[in-house]
Structure formats: C-alpha cells, structure tokens
Amino acid sequence: MLISTMNDVPGRPVTEVLGEVTGLTVRARNAGVQLGANFKALLGGELSGLTKQLAESREEAKQRLIEAATALGADAVLAMRFDAAEVGQNYQEVVAYGTAVKLG
C-alpha cells in the first residue's frame, strides 16, 4: 500500500477515488513515563518516553488507516495526514486520515 502526503503520484494517474479513510487510536499515558516527563520538564530536554509513546500511537493509527484502505480495495492513500488531540486528562487521540484511491 502506497501512503503519500502528496495529492497525486507522479506518473501514476488516479483511476478511482474510493473515499476518505481514517485510522484512530486513543491511548492513556503511562504513569511511569508521565512521572519521568514531569521531572524532565524541570530540567529541560526531550521527553523521550512521551516521544516513544506518540511514535507508537502514530504507527498504530497508520496501520489502521492501511487496513481501512485495503478493505475498500485501494492501491494507495493520498494526502495522508496525522492529527492529535488530548481527550480528557491523560488520554491522547491520534488519527491518520487521507483519501483511498486506485492508481493506473
């Protein structure tokens, strides 16, 4: 499955637009990671535990996006984007979204 942030694929015409697809995950923050992040925030620098959690969340959302596109029979997802938001205290939503298409 080709995933692209571009609106087209050079040299490959879009033959069919199958529609919007999304992949979503909502995760609770790990209490240990959160405690370490609070301490690290006092000193400054990267919050590596939270960075790792966010990267894992993005990958999970992207895999769910691929599953949704595959279910529609897509060859690719174009204009793919990520969005993230806090859902309540200590919960984070990450969504991957784009347009499922068939390419020529």
Side-chain angles (χ1 to χ4, degrees), residues 20-95:
E20 181 181 327
V21 286
T22 61
L24 175 69
T25 185
V26 177
R27 291 191 172 194
R29 292 186 185 145
N30 178 304
V33 168
Q34 189 65 44
L35 182 61
N38 289 338
F39 179 70
K40 183 73 171 188
L42 296 173
L43 302 173
E46 181 182 7
L47 306 176
S48 58
L50 291 177
T51 299
K52 181 180 177 192
Q53 280 188 329
L54 183 55
E56 290 170 355
S57 295
R58 287 172 59 115
E59 185 58 34
E60 185 171 11
K62 184 176 167 185
Q63 287 305 313
R64 291 180 178 173
L65 171 83
I66 291 169
E67 290 169 10
T70 299
L72 293 176
D75 300 323
V77 176
L78 300 181
M80 192 279 290
R81 304 286 187 266
F82 286 107
D83 195 10
E86 197 164 326
V87 181
Q89 192 173 12
N90 295 325
Y91 301 101
Q92 185 174 39
E93 166 197 53
V94 176
V95 62

